[in-house]
């Protein structure tokens, strides 16, 4: 067995492969990523649950009705942006929060990624690496690849769709949960009013 440095050509090919582990906005738009019916509701719900700060990623799994089934947040390590590394950390989070759907012929649930970062809403190579990682992690976990959303000081932006808003943003306080997600109030029982109604019904 011999030890030594890899040839320059091998090192260059490795570097090139790493550089290619990202998706350009045009590639992402052409990939047929399903559109969110109500992106602001999804973003607001994830922001309220996780209150992400810059360098925080939130991975979430939605059912066919776009209801949240599971989510997790984590802080991105300080390292060069690499889609392969992002894929691995996203896959680890998915395996932790929800069973895979690899036995299904067609994916039913959809994973979306919200990433809070510094800078403006324009696409960066870091975004491209997250897109590559999300798409690959979804394939390996049997999920549909959903939206990639950035959260910056300018607000939120669904990359590849052109949809966004000013709130929430990377410095805003979390908004209350949507009322549609709150459980319905339990009916009141007992008390003087209930007793009057009971007596009136019995007299009929």
């Amino acid at each position: 067995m011999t030890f030594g440095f890899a040839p320059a050509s091998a090192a260059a090919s490795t570097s090139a492969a790493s550089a290619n582990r990202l998706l350009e906005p045009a590639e992402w738009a052409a990939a047929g990523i399903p559109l969110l019916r109500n992106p602001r509701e999804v973003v607001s719900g994830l922001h309220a649950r996780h209150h992400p700060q810059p360098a925080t990623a939130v991975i979430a799994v939605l059912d066919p009705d776009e209801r949240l089934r599971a989510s997790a947040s984590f802080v991105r390590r300080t390292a060069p942006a690499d889609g392969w590394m992002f894929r691995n950390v996203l896959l680890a989070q998915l395996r932790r929060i929800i069973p895979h759907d690899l036995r299904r012929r067609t994916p039913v649930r959809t994973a979306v990624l919200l990433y809070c970062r510094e800078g403006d809403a324009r696409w960066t190579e870091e975004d491209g690496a997250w897109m590559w990682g999300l798409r690959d992690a979804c394939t390996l976990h049997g999920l549909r690849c959903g939206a990639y959303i950035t959260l910056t000081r300018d607000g939120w932006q669904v990359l590849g769709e052109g949809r966004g808003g000013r709130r929430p943003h990377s410095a805003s306080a979390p908004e209350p949960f949507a009322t549609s997600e709150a459980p319905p109030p339990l009916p009141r029982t007992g008390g003087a009013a209930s007793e009057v109604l009971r007596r009136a019904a019995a007299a009929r």
Side-chain angles (χ1 to χ4, degrees), residues 61-64 69 98-101 107-111 142-145:
V61 179
L62 309 178
D63 69 10
R69 287 305 175 203
I98 201 161
H100 68 75
D101 278 347
V108 174
R109 296 180 292 191
T110 303
L143 301 171
R144 287 201 308 170
C145 179

Side-chain angles (χ1 to χ4, degrees), residues 26-139:
E27 295 176 293
W28 183 257
I33 306 299
L35 302 180
L36 290 170
R37 290 194 296 271
N38 193 336
R40 189 185 187 283
E41 185 175 308
V42 172
V43 173
S44 297
L46 294 178
H47 186 264
R49 283 178 173 82
H50 297 277
H51 196 198
Q53 302 297 312
T56 302
V58 181
I59 183 73
V61 179
L62 309 178
D63 69 10
D65 294 322
E66 223 166 79
R67 291 189 296 261
L68 182 65
R69 287 305 175 203
S71 64
S73 61
F74 57 94
V75 177
R76 172 188 173 343
R77 293 182 179 179
T78 304
D82 182 357
W84 184 77
M85 293 179 63
F86 289 169
R87 185 276 306 273
N88 289 345
V89 70
L90 289 173
L91 189 57
Q93 294 293 331
L94 288 171
R95 287 171 174 166
R96 185 174 65 84
I97 63 174
I98 201 161
H100 68 75
D101 278 347
L102 293 171
R103 294 184 180 87
R104 292 182 179 272
R105 290 186 177 181
T106 304
V108 174
R109 296 180 292 191
T110 303
V112 300
L113 180 62
L114 172 72
Y115 183 55
C116 182
R117 61 169 173 77
E118 302 288 358
D120 56 34
R122 288 176 294 183
W123 180 88
T124 66
E125 289 192 356
E126 182 184 25
D127 294 326
W130 279 117
M131 290 171 165
W132 191 97
L134 176 62
R135 186 185 64 176
D136 220 40
C138 288
T139 299

